[in-house]
Amino acid sequence: GAVVSQHPSWVICKSGTSVKIECRSLDFQATTMFWYRQFPKQSLMLMATSNEGSKATYEQGVEKDKFLINHASLTLSTLTVTSAHPEDSSFYICSASEGELAKNIQYFGAGTRLSVL
Amino acid sequence: GQNIDQPTEMTATEGAIVQINCTYQTSGFNGLFWYQQHAGEAPTFLSYNVLDGLEEKGRFSSFLSRSKGYSYLLLKELQMKDSASYLCAVRNTGGFKTIFGAGTRLFVKA
């Protein structure tokens, strides 16, 4: 299957700082990528849909000014957690589909574990 | 609205067969996925159903009934490494977003 690379895999930061997470599709172009958040023993919660060349679409309850998404190219989307606080500590996972979104499988990055002190 | 239900936990014995059920309600249906997720790792793709019926892939099979809003994942010849969470996910037609169920934690015992 297609490969999605996510970096970093683990980050620890101080409260009030910003953290950037990168998601890359390595061997295919992805016009759409998705960002999820997962708390321990819970399922993935969709945060936003990242569209290349346009603004991201955020799910209800997700602060767009808090979680900045930039989809600068067909192979790269970034999620920046701004002014992070301990409650932002979570597992963040991106995914991407190759080809036509309606027909293809989402492949996931390895995830980023964020710990805010 | 959208809702996906699957059992929270299941336990099975090594070498046995286990069936994990999933029922869903969604605004427009565009496919159902099963993913496996080990603790602390990202989900890995197992199967995809968009038409009714059974899809078989090695030790794993997935079934879909769109009229009943029902799917199951069948795991045969269970191995210890199959201990993981199994996520049922449905893609809708509104923006083609994929929504995940809470997952079923499967424990395989010797």
Side-chain angles (χ1 to χ4, degrees), chain A residues 38 43 59 101-102 104 106 109, chain B residues 30 35 37 42 91 97-98 101:
Chain A
Q38 186 176 34
S43 191
E59 294 300 301
L101 187 60
N104 288 296
Q106 281 190 62
Chain B
N30 190 254
Y35 285 86
Q37 185 179 27
R91 181 165 59 197
K97 293 185 291 188
T98 300

Side-chain angles (χ1 to χ4, degrees), chain A residues 34 36 38 41-44 46 49 59 91 93 101-111 113, chain B residues 30 33 35 37 39-45 48 87 91 95-103 105:
Chain A
F34 299 92
Y36 292 85
Q38 186 176 34
K41 299 184 179 180
Q42 296 186 24
S43 191
L44 285 75
L46 180 64
T49 302
E59 294 300 301
F91 192 47
I93 311 175
L101 187 60
K103 296 183 178 180
N104 288 296
I105 298 159
Q106 281 190 62
Y107 292 96
F108 285 84
R113 189 164 301 284
Chain B
N30 190 254
F33 302 82
Y35 285 86
Q37 185 179 27
E41 300 180 10
T44 55
F45 170 76
Y48 170 59
L87 309 177
R91 181 165 59 197
F96 304 110
K97 293 185 291 188
T98 300
I99 306 300
F100 285 79
R105 296 180 68 198

Side-chain angles (χ1 to χ4, degrees), chain A residues 4-9 91-94 108-113, chain B residues 40-43:
Chain A
V4 176
S5 173
Q6 187 172 341
H7 178 81
S9 58
F91 192 47
Y92 293 87
I93 311 175
C94 71
F108 285 84
T112 298
R113 189 164 301 284
Chain B
E41 300 180 10

Side-chain angles (χ1 to χ4, degrees), chain B residues 50-107:
Chain B
V50 66
L51 300 176
D52 290 350
L54 187 68
E55 294 281 342
E56 296 186 80
K57 189 187 297 184
R59 295 191 299 115
F60 297 84
S61 302
S62 57
F63 171 83
L64 174 66
S65 169
R66 289 172 297 171
S67 62
K68 295 181 179 179
Y70 168 71
S71 172
Y72 68 72
L73 178 69
L74 194 70
L75 293 79
K76 304 175 184 177
E77 301 171 15
L78 280 174
Q79 302 174 10
M80 299 299 287
K81 67 178 183 179
D82 296 329
S83 294
S85 286
Y86 291 85
L87 309 177
C88 173
V90 176
R91 181 165 59 197
N92 64 20
T93 53
F96 304 110
K97 293 185 291 188
T98 300
I99 306 300
F100 285 79
T104 299
R105 296 180 68 198
L106 174 66
F107 299 94

Side-chain angles (χ1 to χ4, degrees), chain A residues 54-74:
Chain A
S54 65
K55 292 182 178 180
T57 304
Y58 290 83
E59 294 300 301
Q60 191 173 10
V62 178
E63 300 175 58
K64 61 180 181 181
D65 295 330
K66 172 75 172 177
F67 300 99
L68 300 178
I69 291 173
N70 187 329
H71 198 143
S73 75
L74 287 171

